[in-house]
């Protein structure tokens, strides 16, 4: 009986040691790369943060989340 418990314990330890480790983030490697390299910018009008490449920019370099907010900020 002791031998059976010991065998079960060994199987458990081996399975625990072989468990999958460093799992990738959801979204795959492309998303991981974007998360680590692209800066997040706040919209000058409403303050919402978005990735730099998804923002609209004006001549002064300010970032906006959409065309409407760019024109609203310009009309101030
Ligand atoms: Zn905005």
């Amino acid at each position: 009986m002791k031998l059976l418990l010991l065998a079960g314990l060994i199987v458990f330890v081996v399975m625990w040691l072989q468990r999958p480790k460093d799992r990738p983030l959801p979204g795959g490697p492309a998303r991981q790369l974007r998360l680590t390299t692209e800066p997040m910018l706040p919209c000058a009008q409403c303050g919402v943060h978005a990735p730099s490449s998804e923002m609209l920019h004006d001549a002064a370099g300010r970032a906006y989340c959409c065309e409407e907010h760019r024109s609203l900020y310009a009309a101030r």
Side-chain angles (χ1 to χ4, degrees), residues 43 46 65 69:
C43 172
C46 68
C65 64
H69 283 180

Side-chain angles (χ1 to χ4, degrees), residues 43-48 55 63-66 69-70:
C43 172
Q45 177 66 23
C46 68
V48 161
M55 305 290 281
Y64 304 92
C65 64
C66 58
H69 283 180
R70 180 160 63 176

Side-chain angles (χ1 to χ4, degrees):
M1 191 61 193
K2 255 186 177 177
L3 199 68
L4 196 67
L5 283 173
L6 192 66
L9 186 69
I10 289 170
V11 167
F12 174 79
V13 167
V14 168
M15 285 176 73
W16 185 76
L17 288 173
Q18 290 179 340
R19 73 194 187 283
K21 285 162 190 160
D22 52 334
R23 270 183 268 158
L25 285 174
R31 182 174 159 79
Q32 258 178 304
L33 189 67
R34 229 187 65 184
L35 283 174
T36 52
T37 59
E38 201 170 339
M40 298 288 281
L41 297 174
C43 172
Q45 177 66 23
C46 68
V48 161
H49 282 71
S52 178
S53 67
E54 291 176 23
M55 305 290 281
L56 299 169
H57 299 270
D58 67 8
R62 282 181 290 262
Y64 304 92
C65 64
C66 58
E67 183 56 49
E68 188 188 347
H69 283 180
R70 180 160 63 176
S71 47
L72 276 173
Y73 190 88
R76 275 186 186 186

